[in-house]
Structures are given as C-alpha cells and as structure tokens.
Amino acid sequence: MEETSPSGSGPTPAPVQSRNAAAVSLQTIAESQHVAGELELAAASVERALRIDSRDPQLWLLLARIRLDQGEPGQAAGLARRAETLAAPGSETAAEARALAARAAGR
C-alpha cells in the first residue's frame, strides 16, 4: 500500500538519500579539475569517489561527462546509462543522464 502525505493529497515522496561527504568532496575536486581541463586527474578523482560510493548517480554522470570530453563516446554513453539506472525516476539527474547517453551515442 502506498503511503499518503499528512494532508492526504497524494503519495509521500521517497526520502532523499544523503550523499557520502567524502565522495561529495572528491566530486567537487573532480569538477574543478574538469573545468581546468585536467581530464585524467578529474577522472581519477571521480573513480576514487566511486570506490567510496558506487551507487551515487551524480558521480557516474560526472565520469560520463569527462569520458565524453576525452573523446570516448561509447564509454560515456555506458556510464550515463548507469547513472540513469541509479538516479530516482523522473529526477533531473536521470534526465541529464539520458540526454548525455543520447548525445554520446550520436542521437
């Protein structure tokens, strides 16, 4: 049975899963490296973050962006699809992942 909100207006949204602070810190470092064009360092930082939290769709999406910028569209598409499967359905992260996968696949 589906839970309803206290006002009775519909289903209660799923709670937002908190993110691992160490992984988020590494993501921030990787984003800075990515912007600076340090793609290998950025990828390594994200991969370290993924060893901490392999179920974080935002990390997979960032790694997909980096791989696309490195000229690896096939790998980027696969990583983006992984991000989409881990993201909450209908979320902004899922939509971004779907769009990136399509772009990487040349669609």
Side-chain angles (χ1 to χ4, degrees):
M1 183 173 162
E2 199 172 66
E3 286 185 42
T4 57
S5 65
S7 65
S9 61
T12 302
V16 176
Q17 183 178 1
S18 64
R19 298 181 67 211
N20 181 289
V24 171
S25 178
L26 284 165
Q27 177 184 350
T28 301
I29 291 166
E31 288 168 343
S32 295
Q33 293 166 328
H34 186 207
V35 168
E38 299 171 335
L39 301 180
E40 287 301 321
L41 288 174
S45 295
V46 177
E47 288 167 352
R48 283 181 57 209
L50 284 167
R51 284 194 291 277
I52 295 168
D53 187 358
S54 65
R55 301 211 29 93
D56 187 329
Q58 292 181 33
L59 297 174
W60 290 103
L61 183 57
L62 177 55
L63 186 56
R65 286 188 194 109
I66 293 166
R67 293 300 185 213
L68 188 59
D69 288 347
Q70 289 178 314
E72 299 185 31
Q75 191 174 18
L79 293 165
R81 285 190 296 273
R82 175 92 181 247
E84 184 181 5
T85 64
L86 293 171
S91 68
E92 183 177 324
T93 300
E96 288 177 29
R98 193 170 31 260
L100 182 64
R103 190 170 78 232
R107 294 186 246 144

